[in-house]
Amino acid sequence: MTARAAAGPARGIAITPARSAAAAILADLRDGALLDRAFERRTAALDGRDRRWLQELVWGTLRRRAWLDAMLADRVRGGLLRLDADVVDLLRLGAYQLVAMASVPAYAAIGETVELAKLRAGHGAGALTNAVLRRVDRERGPDGAPPVDVPKDPLERLALEFSHPLWLVTRWADRWGIEDTGALLRANNGEAPVVARPYGVSAAALVDELHAAGVATEPPPPGAAWPVDSVRLARGSGVGTLVGHDATAERAAVGRHMHVQDPASTFVTLYAAFGPGARVADVCAAPGGKALELARTAAAVYAGDRSPARLARVRANVARLDVPNVFPYAGDALDAPLRPVDGVLVDAPCTGTGTFRRHPDARWRLKPSDVAVTGATQHAIVRAAAALVRPGGLLVYSTCSIETEENDDVVDRFLDERAGEWTLEPPPAGAVPGAVLDGGRLRVLPQRHGVDGAFAARLRRTAAAGAMRHVDA
């Protein structure tokens, strides 16, 4: 940063805290941070309205990044590759405001982005940003955006139109075809709903409490697979004011009767169907939503995570809802400090390709090699978790990925290795809708079921294994 840039914006144009936070969040992502954590850290001092505006800007920019890049590259002499990464991100933020956020005046989108560029990269960057964004604004067509050259290849066209890496589009098209893949990409670019699960009250009672606190609810999306007692909150309801640190007294009272969970995750716990009175372990528990669901019928749920920060979120959720039968513990899923239990849920770390609408940064962070590497780690966790299941008990393996290497391949490899000792067992009739079952396995797909993607398999232990080492919980 130059001395002149450090002096602050010129011509009396003030940069809003929300726009400054947006630039900082994208810089955090380039340094390897995850979007959710960067957002929470950079928006702690903002009010709810600014947080919602900022989320629309950052999530939208990431969801349409490839298309924004194509639009900008046509208007930057020499293309974007010659520019500093910070300037490219600022151009993306400014262009998104111009073409996709109708509530933002063009002068604000351009002027504040230019001042941010000066502040972060100097006057030369500011001049370039001004020229490019003014050209974008000048060349906008009837649809609000300037024209972009569309590739003739259908997969390249999909990758550009819906802003996904071409390698992901190609592998999905190989599996489902172009039409189904297009539906998946469209779903990934949609806004994820906020869905509440009632806790300690009925769904109807929770809806009444929400309405009394000024929080509107909506019906499930048409055609979506939906647990009968999940409640969809209206857009802009401000879930942080219900379960977050800034919850008002009235809204915090409502927050003690609910937790937030996408229907796909709820389906995993319904599919698990460990049975009433079971003693179960959730060995990859953070942030704790699945452990809370299992606790509805289990005698005890041991909820573990190796990350102290993530485990703190489990403890916070358990304390907020005052759940007496969830017992958080610090421990690695590869060596959980537990005696054998009736059931174990392995909600394995994964690429998260089923949750791109919630985590649009993930599509740009993933590499083709990540799928294979993650699958190997998942297999190791499954083998370790199997040792925690008593004879006759259940092991439930799940992910929020839609990739075969992380799902069916992991389960099939484990069953092949333990033939005669473990078998695939479908859930009890009616545990989940038949539409999300595939040969006894849970398979939830965004393009078909209107919710996040998820996979799970129930594995029944039919014989005792060899000697196992246990440590008291």
Side-chain angles (χ1 to χ4, degrees), residues 23-39 41-42 62 65 85 89 361-362 364-367 370:
I25 288 169
L26 294 189
D28 291 342
L29 299 186
R30 294 198 307 273
D31 290 337
L34 299 178
L35 177 56
D36 286 349
R37 296 178 192 176
F39 181 82
R41 183 163 68 92
R42 296 293 186 176
L62 291 168
R65 197 182 88 172
D89 275 340
D361 57 318
W364 306 117
R365 191 174 58 248
L366 287 182
K367 304 183 296 296
D370 290 338

Side-chain angles (χ1 to χ4, degrees), residues 34-35 58 66 70 95 158 172 193 201 225 232 253 257 271 298 308 324 333 339 342 346 360 368 382 387 398 424 434:
L34 299 178
L35 177 56
V58 173
L158 280 177
W172 291 339
V201 297
R232 182 185 182 189
H257 288 156
Y271 170 88
R339 291 185 182 275
D342 301 312
V346 177
V382 168
S398 75
L424 179 71

